[in-house]
């Protein structure tokens, strides 16, 4: 089985004075503004790094839900944030790391078990597998 999803971008103008729009197949984004100032100067708009972060957080959390289910557990609630680091390197810019921060409440699980299963999800989620960068994880277990 192969699932294909699509996202697209439109760009007009130069790097610093140009602007673009991001669109997703689902309609979650429809020509959503992105540009140099949003990416590098903290202005309003989106950027590829935050989209990668959201995708990674979502994929990881869904993968963990599956792994918990295989262990006979169901999360009451899990929240994951992903901090994507974009840094200047010798030949331009690179995403040098992603830090996942997970908080979860899983009835019937121990802190150790939750941490172990979260580590498996970090390694096994499809977005983690496609990213060629250092991925770290902090886990907070709510009893």
């Amino acid at each position: 089985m192969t699932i294909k999803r699509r996202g697209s971008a439109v760009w007009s103008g130069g790097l610093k004075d140009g602007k673009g729009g991001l669109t997703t197949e689902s309609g979650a984004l429809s020509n959503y503004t992105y540009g140099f100032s949003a990416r590098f100067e903290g202005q309003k708009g989106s950027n590829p790094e935050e989209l990668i972060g959201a995708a990674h957080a979502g994929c990881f959390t869904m993968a963990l839900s599956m792994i918990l289910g295989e262990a006979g557990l169901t999360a009451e609630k899990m929240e994951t944030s992903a901090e994507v680091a974009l840094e200047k390197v010798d030949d331009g810019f690179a995403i040098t790391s992603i830090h996942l921060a997970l908080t979860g409440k899983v009835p019937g699980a121990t802190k150790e078990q939750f941490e172990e299963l979260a580590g498996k999800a970090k390694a096994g989620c499809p977005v983690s597998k496609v990213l060629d960068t250092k991925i770290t994880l902090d886990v907070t277990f709510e009893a």
Side-chain angles (χ1 to χ4, degrees):
M1 176 174 83
T2 300
I3 300 170
K4 295 182 179 182
R5 302 288 187 230
R6 187 175 300 259
S8 62
V10 175
W11 187 266
S12 298
L15 174 63
K16 290 189 177 183
D17 65 345
K19 63 180 180 175
L22 301 168
T23 300
T24 57
E25 180 179 28
S26 69
L29 296 177
S30 180
N31 203 33
Y32 194 83
T33 302
Y34 81 109
F36 183 90
S37 61
R39 191 172 192 187
F40 296 104
E41 298 171 347
Q43 299 297 316
K44 186 176 179 177
S46 190
N47 58 73
E49 292 74 34
E50 77 174 3
L51 297 173
I52 290 169
H56 197 189
C59 182
F60 162 79
T61 308
M62 287 181 73
L64 180 53
S65 179
M66 180 188 75
I67 292 168
L68 288 169
E70 291 170 349
L73 300 165
T74 302
E76 182 177 312
K77 184 177 182 181
M78 294 187 289
E79 291 184 36
T80 305
S81 66
E83 182 179 72
V84 178
L86 178 69
E87 294 185 47
K88 179 81 172 102
V89 294
D90 293 336
D91 58 349
F93 285 86
I95 293 174
T96 56
S97 65
I98 298 178
H99 179 72
L100 299 170
L102 165 68
T103 300
K105 185 171 186 175
V106 182
T110 65
K111 179 180 188 287
E112 295 76 18
Q113 183 182 29
F114 186 59
E115 289 173 346
E116 176 187 346
L117 297 177
K120 289 180 180 180
K122 179 186 85 149
C125 111
V127 173
S128 289
K129 290 178 181 180
V130 77
L131 296 170
D132 184 22
T133 194
K134 176 183 175 185
I135 300 169
T136 56
L137 171 64
D138 283 334
V139 177
T140 301
F141 181 73
E142 297 178 344

